[in-house]
Amino acid sequence: MGRLVLSHFLTISNSSPRLASSSLRAGGFQIRHLKGASLSPQNWLPSPRSSAGFRCCCSVSLSQPAVSESSPTTVKKRIVSGVQPTGSIHLGNYLGAIRNWITLQNTYDTLFFIVDLHAITLPYDAQQLSRATRDTAALYLACGVDTSKASVFVQSHVRAHVELMWLLSSVAPVGWLNRMIQFKEKSRKAGDENVGVALLTYPVLMASDILLYQSDFVPVGEDQKQHLELTRELAERVNNLFGGRKWKKLGGRGGALFKVPEPLIPPVGARVMSLTDGCSKMSKSAPSDQSRINLLDPKDVIANKIKRCKTDSFPGMEFDNPERPECNNLLSIYQLISGKTKEEVAQECQDMNWGTFKSLLADTLIDHLYPIQVRYEEIISDAAYLDGILAEGATKASDIADTTLNNVYQAMGFLRR
């Protein structure tokens, strides 16, 4: 899976005009768009060079209170998140993370980056990493990340991530890292003798990713809650060891060096399951490409994957039957992609057979992903545009990250540079 990490705010391009709003129901949230405008591929996604970025004004019930945009004096809470560039961005990454970012960017200070440093903890293709990083950035934008509201950058382009990781590593007990479930699972698969140290220590890098930006909330899936808890423990440990009066005696302002971030877990779509096993999460690392819908899959590939996906022999379609995990997963995907409520989908599909439902789901997926694919092709073909966004995002991220890093260096007793 693409490991999710992180939070913070930046603005990269000119703000687009505020849109006149009319409501369109979409899953668990409301999307407002221009009156009289359709959501066709031609008008819901902007030109790469357009100064008026795509603005998807959304609100969604999350586990934390929203911050009103109406008051100019309100300080927005900060969120950071990212996806690994290894493998193809798939439907699970989109529904479980990226699409939720579109909601969050309207309410919070947001920073989204490509976590390329995390991508090398397991064997990888060095020749493909750079291209995959650009592809991932282009997909962020194609899915609706608005550069007038959020910054997009590459993790390795902000050197403070690695520097803070080393400082945090000096206070992170090995026992804390040994208990990480993902390390145990992945090292078992790879074989202990072949596992790099980075696989053990990457949660410390993840903590660095989050704490550098004084993040308030971190969007995480259920499988990342343990890593966020480690981040919280490290923040508290550093604050206790080096913050407060100890920092002040060294010339600092005193107080906490890091905010202790809270998890932000979306109530819907946080866990999309495999097409070949309704009990396993949709993952980049799954050996079979049939297990996932990649965002850039051609329409015939999407139709074929849905046609061949695992089903059961029960009559009709229903949610929440523990004996029918595949049925629940496919209905949930249809609900999220179609923008209908759970009740509407249950009523629509209850008497369908698998053949009818699969055809409906495939058509809905193809229609939904088409404008994303069109927008992606526009962005990836304009190298100067994409490079400019990533460079500006990295510059603004570095300004914030360096402030945190310099404070930590000072509090830990290093000679000022």
Side-chain angles (χ1 to χ4, degrees):
M1 97 160 215
R3 287 194 288 270
L4 300 184
V5 265
L6 335 50
S7 89
H8 158 138
F9 161 68
L10 302 162
T11 13
I12 305 184
S13 64
N14 298 329
S15 298
S16 60
R18 186 166 299 280
L19 305 181
S21 64
S22 60
S23 293
L24 173 70
R25 192 167 190 86
F29 49 91
Q30 298 288 321
I31 297 177
R32 299 191 304 251
H33 57 88
L34 285 170
K35 290 182 177 179
S38 68
L39 291 179
S40 67
Q42 289 72 26
N43 59 25
W44 81 279
L45 294 169
S47 165
R49 296 185 176 88
S50 173
S51 63
F54 169 68
R55 298 179 66 89
C56 173
C57 303
C58 314
S59 61
V60 61
S61 296
L62 295 168
S63 57
Q64 300 293 343
V67 181
S68 171
E69 287 188 286
S70 59
S71 173
T73 60
T74 299
V75 177
K76 290 183 178 182
K77 299 293 184 179
R78 182 173 292 165
I79 285 176
V80 59
S81 193
V83 173
Q84 279 196 47
T86 50
S88 299
I89 301 295
H90 56 67
L91 197 64
N93 301 135
Y94 173 61
L95 294 177
I98 298 174
R99 199 171 75 161
N100 291 321
W101 297 351
I102 313 310
T103 303
L104 296 171
Q105 69 184 354
N106 296 291
T107 308
Y108 297 90
D109 288 346
T110 49
L111 185 152
F112 305 122
F113 60 94
I114 298 90
V115 291
D116 58 338
L117 292 172
H118 287 279
I120 66 172
T121 57
L122 291 172
Y124 70 100
D125 187 338
Q127 294 183 345
Q128 293 296 321
L129 180 59
S130 176
R131 173 56 191 254
T133 299
R134 295 177 63 82
D135 284 349
T136 302
L139 277 171
Y140 282 7
L141 303 178
C143 289
V145 172
D146 183 349
T147 56
S148 71
K149 300 176 183 179
S151 284
V152 177
F153 71 97
V154 178
Q155 181 188 26
S156 63
H157 291 181
V158 179
R159 296 186 178 184
H161 287 258
V162 177
E163 290 190 54
L164 182 59
M165 179 198 176
W166 181 252
L167 299 179
L168 294 179
S169 296
S170 71
V171 299
V174 173
W176 290 9
L177 301 178
N178 282 332
R179 75 189 187 204
M180 296 291 106
I181 295 173
Q182 285 202 20
F183 169 71
K184 293 178 180 179
E185 293 177 347
K186 292 186 177 182
S187 61
R188 191 182 305 116
K189 291 179 181 178
D192 291 338
E193 293 184 358
N194 297 318
V195 171
V197 174
L199 186 62
L200 177 65
T201 59
Y202 89 80
V204 183
L205 177 59
M206 183 181 292
S208 170
D209 297 334
I210 296 167
L211 298 177
L212 271 175
Y213 302 102
Q214 305 296 341
S215 311
D216 294 285
F217 304 121
V218 183
V220 292
E222 289 291 337
D223 58 339
Q224 288 297 314
K225 290 176 69 176
Q226 188 184 37
H227 289 151
L228 181 59
E229 188 56 37
L230 176 70
T231 299
R232 290 167 52 83
E233 291 173 344
L234 281 173
E236 290 170 346
R237 187 175 177 87
V238 172
N239 288 340
N240 291 332
L241 288 174
F242 303 106
R245 293 180 180 178
K246 298 173 186 176
W247 181 19
K248 199 166 187 178
K249 288 180 180 179
L250 293 171
R253 70 166 192 272
L257 285 156
F258 297 126
K259 283 188 178 180
V260 181
E262 298 289 339
L264 194 62
I265 302 176
V268 180
R271 194 170 178 84
V272 177
M273 312 308 285
S274 167
L275 298 182
T276 56
D277 180 3
C279 296
S280 299
K281 189 173 181 180
M282 187 174 288
S283 171
K284 293 179 180 179
S285 60
S288 174
D289 193 57
Q290 292 293 320
S291 67
R292 54 189 170 264
I293 300 292
N294 303 306
L295 295 194
L296 298 179
D297 278 345
K299 61 182 182 180
D300 58 331
V301 172
I302 295 173
N304 183 59
K305 287 181 177 180
I306 295 299
K307 182 179 179 180
R308 298 176 59 185
C309 69
K310 185 178 179 181
T311 58
D312 55 48
S313 58
F314 289 84
M317 311 293 294
E318 59 182 332
F319 283 102
D320 303 325
N321 184 337
E323 296 183 21
R324 308 186 67 187
E326 287 80 20
C327 183
N328 184 73
N329 182 46
L330 294 175
L331 283 174
S332 297
I333 292 172
Y334 176 63
Q335 176 200 338
L336 292 165
I337 291 295
S338 67
K340 299 178 181 179
T341 66
K342 187 174 182 178
E343 293 72 21
E344 289 170 341
V345 171
Q347 184 175 3
E348 177 187 6
C349 303
Q350 62 183 347
D351 296 324
M352 287 185 181
N353 58 40
W354 277 112
T356 302
F357 175 72
K358 284 184 173 182
S359 178
L360 173 65
L361 177 59
D363 289 344
T364 305
L365 280 169
I366 290 167
D367 290 345
H368 186 88
L369 295 180
Y370 173 76
I372 293 175
Q373 294 172 352
V374 170
R375 172 65 173 146
Y376 163 82
E377 293 296 339
E378 293 177 356
I379 295 167
I380 203 66
S381 64
D382 191 341
Y385 166 75
L386 185 57
D387 289 345
I389 284 178
L390 296 177
E392 189 169 358
T395 297
K396 292 182 178 180
S398 294
D399 290 342
I400 298 164
D402 287 346
T403 298
T404 298
L405 182 64
N406 289 335
N407 287 339
V408 176
Y409 272 128
Q410 181 186 45
M412 292 182 71
F414 285 87
L415 182 67
R416 184 180 295 274
R417 298 189 233 192

